[in-house]
Amino acid sequence: MGVDLWQRWPGLRNALVLIAIWELVGQFKLVAGGALPSLSAIVLRLWVDRADYPGHIWATLSASASGFLIGNTIAILAGVLFVTFPVLLRITRGLNIAIFALPPIAIAPILALTLSGMAPRITLAALGVYFVTMSATVIGLSQYDSRAANLVRAYGGAKWQVLWRVQLRGALPAILSGFRIAAPAAVLGAILAEFGGGGRWGLGTYLLGSLGRGEPARIWGIGLVATLIAGLSYVAFALLSARLVGTSRAVSLNPAAPPALRVDPSPWWHRIGLLLCSVALPFVVWWAFLRVLSVPSMLGKTPWDVIHYLFLSELRATAQSRLFSALAETLPITFAGMILGMGFAFVLAVSSRLLPEFTRAFMPVALITQTMPLVALTPLLVLILGRGTSLTLWVTISVTFFPAYVMMAQGLLLVPRAAVELPRAYGAKAWAELRLVAIPASIPYVFAAMRLTAPRALLGVMIAEWLATGRGLGNLLNQSRGYLDFNMIWTVAAVSVLISVGFYQIVLMIERRVLARMGMAATE
Amino acid sequence: MTAAPAGISLTAIGKTYRGRGKDVEALRDVTLDCDQGSFTALIGPSGCGKSTALRILLGLEPADCGSVSIGGQTPQQAAAAGVTGVAFQDSALLPWRNVANNIALPLEVLGRRVADYRDDIAQLIALVGLKGYENALPGELSGGMRQRVAIARALVTRPQVLFMDEPFGALDQILRRQMNIELQRIWGETGATTLLVTHGIDEAVFLADRVVVMQAAPGRIAEVIDIPFPRPRAAELFGQPDFHALCDDIAKVLHGG
Amino acid sequence: MRLQMNRRHFLGASAGAAALPFLPGRARATTPFTMQSAWINDAEFAGYFIGLDQGYYAEEGLDLTYLPGGPDVIPESSIIAGRADLSLTTPDTTIKAIVEQGAPFKIIGAQYQKNPIGIVSLAKSPILTPQDMIGKTIAVPPVNTISVEAVLAINGIERSQVNIVPYSYDPTPLIRGEIDASLDFTTNVPYTIETMGEEAVSFLLYDFGFTIYNDTVVVTEETLRTKRAELVGWLRASRRGWVENFEDPDLWPPRWMDTWFAGTGRSLENELFFNHAQQPLMASPAGYMAMTEEGIEANLEALARVGINGTRDMFDTTLLEEL
């Protein structure tokens, strides 16, 4: 039985091995002079601090739960609207991508300036879940059983009846899988908004307040509790969806998924009009947000204010030079980190075809680290790596590596067995098999992963810069807050969203070209 | 074509899959000999071990006991020497390779110069009726066309032994009959020892010299039936009473009669 | 805003605070009034906590809501956004915002007569004057870089002679020797360093020419017009709170471990150290929270050296005069 247990749960065995190594490393202070405390020291510290936690956990949980509820409600309604009126999906495309790609840390200060109390946290949590659930809803609603729909129609059912009886029912598994991914995102959003949000309670607040204590064990404790909450929320929805629909099918995040019509018969001016609407909408929403909340003009800057500040005002020269020198620090490291992270992920995912046992054991670890909130991860890496460029690089690598790895490895598992076995039946060696099948087959997932991870890479760099290194865009944002330089705060936020969206669009364009040439479809 | 075709021989093969809770005996004491140049069909219900037998012959899985020989070699040796060709149920074409390059894949795996086979590939494309589609990507082809590409790919190495695992399973009845007739012609031209795994009784009877009927739990050979119809067999055979009678007999064996 | 208040009430109730500081205030007709603090709850704000707990604000007719600050709260933005009536700030950022952004702020009081920020180093390699900083690596929070640059300029040191790196209130790099000193609250971080087994020394930027206040009390011009009486009441109650606090600096912090200080993760000893250390920085012959003409003059002079050209009219001492 004992041996059986190990064989059945290699993940468990690996976890135990990992914990044992961790304990030893911590006990003997092998990493950066004790920056990685032993697990027992962390648990002990958790016990000592136990009175602190309930309030912080409650604040973070209630903000993320509210954000989760609100964000998902809006997302499902939006998904239904988009499927019913596809033109809406095209008009809101720019807005949807902006919401997906925006680095939460860039808008956290803006939300803190313009909203009050718990609202910034709830908003950021809601923004974090919106895109995942909206795409899952659209995909779920689009992939209904047309025979069942015809049946309802044949009995005189109206469009809404088809929607209600067939499509929504059929979309349930996809929506629930969306929730699963959205839940940790809500936790991350809520914690990120505690940066710049103020207030006494919340794990993010606790973490920030504890950074100056020089107590690694506590910082690790907070990080692990945050991870646990995010991880448990993921597991809860995984179980719920398995229970309700008898499936635990993974919905992979596909930012490109909005199933825009491939062939568009409408006249060119119609298409251009829609495109312009789609580009303009995010700016309109930005402007409307300030108007509706009647944010004082000193705090809230409109798109026009930002353009004026950056290109027309007397301050434009200094503003531009500060912005560009920050970008010059941030962008190269973002790209370097992303490419390295993707590269590691690619090598590991592709070679996992050679070592399936390893993949099975490593996947749970990768999934856990994915639910670890970035804000919790960064201070831990600071403890180990210090505050130099290598920190930023590692933060970026780690935030891009795991999602990219999970996406590529899961994608490779979808390659039909026959396609893999064919070369083997001709006596192909492992390398030939990789070269001929696994590597080309993983290319769609490389692109999908790139789209997914590019915004995360920028977010990772900015968090590291804000918290630790004091360079680049993240620092400019932080410093502008300190100097009450509201023009610059809005400018940095807008520029970082634009960079994310721009990068996303570029990857998407290259992806479409390459995949069309390779005769493959973009991954759903 | 050129080299002398090799025979296939399975002797007292056993294979058990260790699963959770209980083990599954996929094959028990399976012995089967196929003469050089013969056409054998392997038929049986799901789980009777016919695909397992094929995987053992392809060297994708080892047998627990017994011996396997393809023209006197082990499956791995035969595969590495290019003796075998294979077509799966799923056409398993690589979507990023066009028709010609998909057909050339086995050559690349075997380390042969693809340039030396330009004419062969062109002939094979013509043979499976896809002339003009050399540069098409799999996504642009119908299911039947893809399956024909897979058959051309199985033949490109000029195999002496041809394994096919339900190659027409996904096709409709009409296309399937067409493909059966074409396969018979191709087999006649190449003279390869052929083992066809199939669900279709009529397909097995139409194509094979011998039909080997397997049964499940444990997977074993129930009966070997010789097919007496002379070759070449024409499409009309499908409509003849003695063809149906033979099919009915095999059906009875299949259903444990 | 309502959420914030509810949360505070909830927390007060859940902590089972027997004193129930809100009740006396509620018994009379009071005006809602909100203050934005500058940092997380610690001894730095003891005077206000006493004022709340003892009902001094309620006696002035104020139903005071206290919004804590933190490393990522910009206190001034709360008063611009109308979330708070009054805010504790650092004078350099406030005056910079008035000068550069035209922010409608007035400074009506000052908690620290001497800014507690200073250069903290280890006793085993002490940095006791600006001259000692030459050739050293000093960690400075991004927002305070200009303050340190000012001290360097005042003391005739080239900016290039000191290596300034960013700092976020973590003494670990100092202990590990990655940096030689850091800019921090001298009232606080030396204690943390001592708990980590090292002895700390420090000097105040104030003592070397950067003569500015800290935790200046800032309001918008509009609040000054419309809520003058409340502001005077707030100043009076706060002064009472501070007087009471320093009568016995060891008395109050222990009572707050489960209320005001709950959840900050800081120890009682830390708060007591802080409370003692801040007393000399707050004392003024004119009373707590005061701003003297000489003090204002010194502030303007020091800020002018870093290119922030404030004027006397940014300070309004008339409310203090009413106390």
PDB file of all heavy atoms in Angstrom, chain A residues 123-137:
ATOM      1  N   THR A 123     -12.903  46.723  -7.450  1.00  0.00           N
ATOM      2  CA  THR A 123     -12.828  46.999  -8.881  1.00  0.00           C
ATOM      3  C   THR A 123     -11.693  46.221  -9.526  1.00  0.00           C
ATOM      4  O   THR A 123     -11.865  45.615 -10.584  1.00  0.00           O
ATOM      5  CB  THR A 123     -12.601  48.505  -9.114  1.00  0.00           C
ATOM      6  OG1 THR A 123     -13.572  49.224  -8.374  1.00  0.00           O
ATOM      7  CG2 THR A 123     -12.702  48.843 -10.583  1.00  0.00           C
ATOM      8  N   LEU A 124     -10.541  46.223  -8.879  1.00  0.00           N
ATOM      9  CA  LEU A 124      -9.393  45.553  -9.494  1.00  0.00           C
ATOM     10  C   LEU A 124      -9.614  44.041  -9.531  1.00  0.00           C
ATOM     11  O   LEU A 124      -9.246  43.377 -10.505  1.00  0.00           O
ATOM     12  CB  LEU A 124      -8.108  45.907  -8.740  1.00  0.00           C
ATOM     13  CG  LEU A 124      -6.854  45.909  -9.613  1.00  0.00           C
ATOM     14  CD1 LEU A 124      -7.023  46.872 -10.762  1.00  0.00           C
ATOM     15  CD2 LEU A 124      -5.639  46.303  -8.807  1.00  0.00           C
ATOM     16  N   ALA A 125     -10.237  43.496  -8.489  1.00  0.00           N
ATOM     17  CA  ALA A 125     -10.553  42.070  -8.492  1.00  0.00           C
ATOM     18  C   ALA A 125     -11.535  41.768  -9.616  1.00  0.00           C
ATOM     19  O   ALA A 125     -11.390  40.782 -10.348  1.00  0.00           O
ATOM     20  CB  ALA A 125     -11.136  41.661  -7.142  1.00  0.00           C
ATOM     21  N   ALA A 126     -12.549  42.648  -9.782  1.00  0.00           N
ATOM     22  CA  ALA A 126     -13.553  42.432 -10.827  1.00  0.00           C
ATOM     23  C   ALA A 126     -12.902  42.508 -12.207  1.00  0.00           C
ATOM     24  O   ALA A 126     -13.193  41.696 -13.090  1.00  0.00           O
ATOM     25  CB  ALA A 126     -14.668  43.465 -10.705  1.00  0.00           C
ATOM     26  N   LEU A 127     -11.992  43.478 -12.384  1.00  0.00           N
ATOM     27  CA  LEU A 127     -11.287  43.589 -13.671  1.00  0.00           C
ATOM     28  C   LEU A 127     -10.468  42.330 -13.936  1.00  0.00           C
ATOM     29  O   LEU A 127     -10.343  41.895 -15.075  1.00  0.00           O
ATOM     30  CB  LEU A 127     -10.363  44.808 -13.662  1.00  0.00           C
ATOM     31  CG  LEU A 127     -11.045  46.157 -13.881  1.00  0.00           C
ATOM     32  CD1 LEU A 127     -10.046  47.292 -13.683  1.00  0.00           C
ATOM     33  CD2 LEU A 127     -11.645  46.223 -15.273  1.00  0.00           C
ATOM     34  N   GLY A 128      -9.928  41.754 -12.867  1.00  0.00           N
ATOM     35  CA  GLY A 128      -9.108  40.559 -13.024  1.00  0.00           C
ATOM     36  C   GLY A 128      -9.904  39.352 -13.503  1.00  0.00           C
ATOM     37  O   GLY A 128      -9.359  38.484 -14.175  1.00  0.00           O
ATOM     38  N   VAL A 129     -11.178  39.285 -13.148  1.00  0.00           N
ATOM     39  CA  VAL A 129     -11.948  38.099 -13.530  1.00  0.00           C
ATOM     40  C   VAL A 129     -12.712  38.309 -14.826  1.00  0.00           C
ATOM     41  O   VAL A 129     -13.091  37.348 -15.496  1.00  0.00           O
ATOM     42  CB  VAL A 129     -12.951  37.663 -12.431  1.00  0.00           C
ATOM     43  CG1 VAL A 129     -12.232  37.385 -11.134  1.00  0.00           C
ATOM     44  CG2 VAL A 129     -14.039  38.677 -12.225  1.00  0.00           C
ATOM     45  N   TYR A 130     -12.970  39.573 -15.169  1.00  0.00           N
ATOM     46  CA  TYR A 130     -13.886  39.846 -16.276  1.00  0.00           C
ATOM     47  C   TYR A 130     -13.519  39.112 -17.566  1.00  0.00           C
ATOM     48  O   TYR A 130     -14.323  38.378 -18.132  1.00  0.00           O
ATOM     49  CB  TYR A 130     -13.960  41.355 -16.542  1.00  0.00           C
ATOM     50  CG  TYR A 130     -14.605  41.700 -17.861  1.00  0.00           C
ATOM     51  CD1 TYR A 130     -15.984  41.680 -17.991  1.00  0.00           C
ATOM     52  CD2 TYR A 130     -13.832  41.987 -18.984  1.00  0.00           C
ATOM     53  CE1 TYR A 130     -16.577  41.961 -19.207  1.00  0.00           C
ATOM     54  CE2 TYR A 130     -14.419  42.264 -20.197  1.00  0.00           C
ATOM     55  CZ  TYR A 130     -15.788  42.250 -20.310  1.00  0.00           C
ATOM     56  OH  TYR A 130     -16.370  42.505 -21.519  1.00  0.00           O
ATOM     57  N   PHE A 131     -12.261  39.274 -17.992  1.00  0.00           N
ATOM     58  CA  PHE A 131     -11.933  38.771 -19.328  1.00  0.00           C
ATOM     59  C   PHE A 131     -12.029  37.251 -19.404  1.00  0.00           C
ATOM     60  O   PHE A 131     -12.556  36.697 -20.375  1.00  0.00           O
ATOM     61  CB  PHE A 131     -10.524  39.227 -19.736  1.00  0.00           C
ATOM     62  CG  PHE A 131     -10.221  38.904 -21.165  1.00  0.00           C
ATOM     63  CD1 PHE A 131     -10.558  39.789 -22.165  1.00  0.00           C
ATOM     64  CD2 PHE A 131      -9.639  37.693 -21.512  1.00  0.00           C
ATOM     65  CE1 PHE A 131     -10.315  39.488 -23.485  1.00  0.00           C
ATOM     66  CE2 PHE A 131      -9.397  37.392 -22.832  1.00  0.00           C
ATOM     67  CZ  PHE A 131      -9.729  38.292 -23.830  1.00  0.00           C
ATOM     68  N   VAL A 132     -11.526  36.590 -18.371  1.00  0.00           N
ATOM     69  CA  VAL A 132     -11.539  35.123 -18.371  1.00  0.00           C
ATOM     70  C   VAL A 132     -12.971  34.609 -18.495  1.00  0.00           C
ATOM     71  O   VAL A 132     -13.282  33.781 -19.357  1.00  0.00           O
ATOM     72  CB  VAL A 132     -10.922  34.591 -17.063  1.00  0.00           C
ATOM     73  CG1 VAL A 132     -10.951  33.087 -17.047  1.00  0.00           C
ATOM     74  CG2 VAL A 132      -9.511  35.093 -16.896  1.00  0.00           C
ATOM     75  N   THR A 133     -13.837  35.125 -17.635  1.00  0.00           N
ATOM     76  CA  THR A 133     -15.209  34.621 -17.637  1.00  0.00           C
ATOM     77  C   THR A 133     -15.953  35.040 -18.900  1.00  0.00           C
ATOM     78  O   THR A 133     -16.722  34.257 -19.459  1.00  0.00           O
ATOM     79  CB  THR A 133     -15.949  35.123 -16.381  1.00  0.00           C
ATOM     80  OG1 THR A 133     -15.189  34.746 -15.240  1.00  0.00           O
ATOM     81  CG2 THR A 133     -17.321  34.523 -16.285  1.00  0.00           C
ATOM     82  N   MET A 134     -15.704  36.268 -19.358  1.00  0.00           N
ATOM     83  CA  MET A 134     -16.372  36.714 -20.578  1.00  0.00           C
ATOM     84  C   MET A 134     -15.991  35.808 -21.745  1.00  0.00           C
ATOM     85  O   MET A 134     -16.870  35.336 -22.467  1.00  0.00           O
ATOM     86  CB  MET A 134     -15.995  38.179 -20.858  1.00  0.00           C
ATOM     87  CG  MET A 134     -16.754  38.823 -21.995  1.00  0.00           C
ATOM     88  SD  MET A 134     -16.018  38.478 -23.602  1.00  0.00           S
ATOM     89  CE  MET A 134     -14.493  39.393 -23.513  1.00  0.00           C
ATOM     90  N   SER A 135     -14.692  35.528 -21.923  1.00  0.00           N
ATOM     91  CA  SER A 135     -14.293  34.655 -23.046  1.00  0.00           C
ATOM     92  C   SER A 135     -14.882  33.274 -22.874  1.00  0.00           C
ATOM     93  O   SER A 135     -15.350  32.669 -23.834  1.00  0.00           O
ATOM     94  CB  SER A 135     -12.786  34.498 -23.165  1.00  0.00           C
ATOM     95  OG  SER A 135     -12.121  35.600 -22.704  1.00  0.00           O
ATOM     96  N   ALA A 136     -14.842  32.762 -21.631  1.00  0.00           N
ATOM     97  CA  ALA A 136     -15.370  31.417 -21.403  1.00  0.00           C
ATOM     98  C   ALA A 136     -16.857  31.381 -21.763  1.00  0.00           C
ATOM     99  O   ALA A 136     -17.339  30.416 -22.380  1.00  0.00           O
ATOM    100  CB  ALA A 136     -15.162  30.995 -19.953  1.00  0.00           C
ATOM    101  N   THR A 137     -17.580  32.452 -21.400  1.00  0.00           N
ATOM    102  CA  THR A 137     -19.007  32.505 -21.707  1.00  0.00           C
ATOM    103  C   THR A 137     -19.232  32.541 -23.216  1.00  0.00           C
ATOM    104  O   THR A 137     -20.067  31.806 -23.747  1.00  0.00           O
ATOM    105  CB  THR A 137     -19.649  33.751 -21.052  1.00  0.00           C
ATOM    106  OG1 THR A 137     -19.276  33.788 -19.695  1.00  0.00           O
ATOM    107  CG2 THR A 137     -21.148  33.707 -21.160  1.00  0.00           C
TER     108      THR A 137
END
